[in-house]
């Protein structure tokens, strides 16, 4: 296929293809809550957040680049080192033992020199493939059955395609035999280089993989069952206590309310306020923080200044969040 196409996933591009070329998708993120270390504002992200990032990237057929940030002396701070060690403990504790390693494995069809037992061998050049030369993406199916020596508890399933021959599988399901009934534990489309599916822990001695759709004869190169291990962590509190002035110490003639200035453009537009270089779209006063209707979906800056009346006698938590990568300051 053509890597310059606007959409590489729509199936009609692969109608006459032998599989699909695997394009690695790199997830580029940071260990801290922000890109660069700052003594006042940065903190290490929780281990659970890093684990979620791992499954959303590597577990979803991608690769992961986790950036760490040195301090002003060029040294990696101890809290980052500690979190990386905890992340390594999670990786080793979860994936060092494949609970299906000694299982018996069979398939409804096996091509010559492509036995289903290859799914559990350490040879990455070996794979399983069904014996169906005239594979039809719309009609052909394949099934693999994994039988464990005894019932085991697991909450992760891993599959890999023999990626040197492209990404082929476009629809599959996994089932576990629980209390005599087949329970669906995974329903996915692609597998690619590696897919890891999370699900509530089950105890079973049989797992069935059903391939419902593949652009060409599927080639599976690895299978695994795992149980999550989460080490104890030292969670660093990301919230900082700030001494606020009591109401009776506010400047004279202060009224509760937020002055709003809306600029066209990103953070630089707000930073240039007062220099005459920004485009001011709207001004006004708010009683609660909100986004003005004419702000647009992107490429704008909103500056709020003033006082809010908070009807609580003790501590108040202000938390800023963004779902689209926007830069937020309090």
């Amino acid at each position: 296929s053509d890597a310059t196409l606007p959409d590489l996933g729509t199936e009609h591009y692969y109608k006459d293809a032998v599989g699909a070329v695997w394009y690695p998708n790199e997830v580029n993120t940071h260990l801290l809550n922000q890109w660069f270390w700052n003594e006042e504002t940065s903190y290490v992200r929780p281990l659970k957040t890093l684990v979620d990032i791992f499954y959303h990237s590597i577990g979803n057929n991608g690769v992961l680049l986790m950036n760490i940030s040195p301090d002003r002396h060029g040294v990696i701070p101890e809290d980052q080192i500690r979190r990386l060690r905890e992340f390594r403990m999670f990786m080793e504790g979860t994936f060092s033992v494949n609970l299906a390693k000694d299982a018996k494995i069979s398939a409804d069809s096996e091509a010559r020199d492509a036995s289903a037992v290859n799914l559990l061998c350490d040879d990455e050049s070996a794979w399983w493939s069904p014996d169906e030369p005239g594979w039809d993406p719309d009609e052909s199916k394949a099934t693999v059955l994994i039988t464990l020596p005894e019932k085991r508890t697991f909450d992760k399933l891993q599959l890999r395609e023999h990626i040197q021959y492209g990404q082929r599988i476009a629809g599959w399901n996994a089932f576990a035999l629980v209390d005599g009934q087949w329970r669906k534990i995974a329903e996915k489309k692609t597998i690619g280089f590696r897919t890891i599916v999370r699900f509530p822990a089950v105890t079973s001695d049989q797992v069935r993989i059903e391939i419902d759709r593949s652009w060409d004869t599927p080639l599976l190169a690895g299978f695994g069952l795992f149980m999550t291990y989460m080490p104890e962590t030292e969670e660093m509190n990301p919230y900082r206590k700030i001494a606020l002035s009591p109401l009776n110490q506010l400047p004279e003639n202060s009224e509760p309310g937020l002055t709003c200035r809306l600029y066209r453009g990103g953070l630089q537009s707000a930073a240039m306020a007062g220099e005459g270089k920004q485009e001011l779209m709207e001004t006004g006063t708010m009683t609660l923080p909100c986004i003005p209707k004419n702000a647009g979906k992107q490429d704008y800056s909103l500056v709020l200044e003033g006082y809010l009346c908070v009807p609580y006698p003790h501590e108040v938590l202000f938390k800023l969040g963004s779902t689209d990568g926007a830069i937020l300051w309090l």
Side-chain angles (χ1 to χ4, degrees), residues 11-25:
E11 286 195 18
H12 72 264
Y13 289 132
Y14 307 99
K15 181 178 180 180
D16 300 317
V18 180
V21 176
W22 179 61
Y23 294 95
N25 176 33

Side-chain angles (χ1 to χ4, degrees), residues 178-192:
V178 181
D179 297 329
Q181 301 291 327
W182 286 105
R183 180 188 300 178
K184 183 180 288 188
I185 56 176
E187 182 177 4
K188 300 275 285 185
K189 289 188 175 181
T190 59
I191 294 176

Side-chain angles (χ1 to χ4, degrees), residues 146-160:
I146 300 95
T147 303
L148 305 175
E150 70 279 327
K151 290 184 178 181
R152 294 172 180 173
T153 302
F154 48 89
D155 61 2
K156 304 286 179 294
L157 183 150
Q158 176 179 280
L159 280 174
R160 294 189 297 109

Side-chain angles (χ1 to χ4, degrees), residues 218-267:
L219 305 175
L220 279 183
F223 173 83
L225 297 173
F226 305 93
M227 186 64 196
T228 300
Y229 168 75
M230 287 294 288
E232 294 185 3
T233 64
E234 181 178 344
E235 298 299 343
M236 281 66 76
N237 185 6
Y239 306 113
R240 302 177 182 275
K241 290 188 177 181
I242 302 175
L244 300 177
S245 301
L247 286 176
N248 58 10
Q249 293 184 17
L250 290 176
E252 295 182 2
N253 302 321
S254 296
E255 294 292 335
L258 298 174
T259 300
C260 163
R261 298 194 305 276
L262 176 65
Y263 298 96
R264 189 185 306 279
L267 184 65

Side-chain angles (χ1 to χ4, degrees), residues 21-314:
V21 176
W22 179 61
Y23 294 95
N25 176 33
E26 180 181 273
V27 175
N28 187 1
T29 187
H30 37 80
L31 183 63
L32 297 177
N33 63 309
Q34 57 196 41
W35 281 105
F36 300 105
W37 178 88
N38 182 285
E39 185 176 7
E40 297 297 328
T41 62
S42 65
Y43 58 86
V44 179
R45 299 164 90 174
L47 177 61
K48 182 181 181 301
T49 299
L50 303 184
V51 170
D52 287 338
I53 291 172
F54 167 81
Y55 286 118
H56 291 156
S57 55
I58 293 177
N60 267 340
N61 187 25
V63 294
L64 174 62
L65 173 59
M66 181 70 69
N67 293 270
I68 58 177
S69 303
D71 60 19
R72 66 182 61 191
H73 302 292
V75 176
I76 304 301
E78 181 60 33
D79 57 349
Q80 295 185 56
I81 296 174
R82 185 165 60 250
R83 183 67 83 237
L84 289 172
R85 287 174 175 165
E86 293 169 352
F87 187 68
R88 178 177 178 176
M89 292 170 63
F90 151 75
M91 290 289 296
E92 293 179 344
T94 301
F95 296 103
S96 60
V97 177
N98 183 356
L99 297 174
K101 185 65 176 177
D102 55 351
K104 293 181 179 179
I105 188 165
S106 61
D108 56 358
S109 175
E110 295 179 340
R112 183 179 179 181
D113 299 326
S115 171
V117 298
N118 290 338
L119 290 175
L120 297 177
C121 73
D122 296 326
D123 184 359
E124 295 187 358
S125 64
W127 67 85
W128 161 78
S129 178
D131 185 16
E132 192 166 345
W135 182 272
D136 186 332
D138 296 315
E139 300 294 335
S140 299
K141 313 288 183 184
T143 301
V144 177
L145 180 65
I146 300 95
T147 303
L148 305 175
E150 70 279 327
K151 290 184 178 181
R152 294 172 180 173
T153 302
F154 48 89
D155 61 2
K156 304 286 179 294
L157 183 150
Q158 176 179 280
L159 280 174
R160 294 189 297 109
E161 289 187 73
H162 190 63
I163 206 64
Q164 289 86 341
Y165 286 88
Q167 181 173 302
R168 302 184 174 197
I169 296 174
W172 63 278
N173 297 278
F175 301 84
L177 188 63
V178 181
D179 297 329
Q181 301 291 327
W182 286 105
R183 180 188 300 178
K184 183 180 288 188
I185 56 176
E187 182 177 4
K188 300 275 285 185
K189 289 188 175 181
T190 59
I191 294 176
F193 175 72
R194 175 159 55 165
T195 290
I196 305 172
V197 183
R198 294 184 284 180
F199 45 84
V202 297
T203 300
S204 174
D205 58 358
Q206 284 192 319
V207 174
R208 188 175 77 233
I209 306 296
E210 296 182 354
I211 299 175
D212 300 322
R213 183 166 178 77
S214 183
W215 290 312
D216 194 50
T217 308
L219 305 175
L220 279 183
F223 173 83
L225 297 173
F226 305 93
M227 186 64 196
T228 300
Y229 168 75
M230 287 294 288
E232 294 185 3
T233 64
E234 181 178 344
E235 298 299 343
M236 281 66 76
N237 185 6
Y239 306 113
R240 302 177 182 275
K241 290 188 177 181
I242 302 175
L244 300 177
S245 301
L247 286 176
N248 58 10
Q249 293 184 17
L250 290 176
E252 295 182 2
N253 302 321
S254 296
E255 294 292 335
L258 298 174
T259 300
C260 163
R261 298 194 305 276
L262 176 65
Y263 298 96
R264 189 185 306 279
L267 184 65
Q268 291 182 348
S269 298
M272 292 189 296
E275 298 182 12
K277 298 180 181 179
Q278 75 289 350
E279 181 182 350
L280 183 63
M281 298 172 60
E282 182 181 344
T283 60
T285 303
M286 300 180 178
T287 56
L288 290 174
C290 65
I291 305 298
K293 292 183 179 180
N294 65 343
K297 293 184 178 180
Q298 59 183 4
D299 198 29
Y300 69 88
S301 301
L302 181 64
V303 178
L304 301 174
E305 294 180 301
Y307 301 97
L308 288 178
C309 227
V310 182
Y312 300 105
H314 302 294

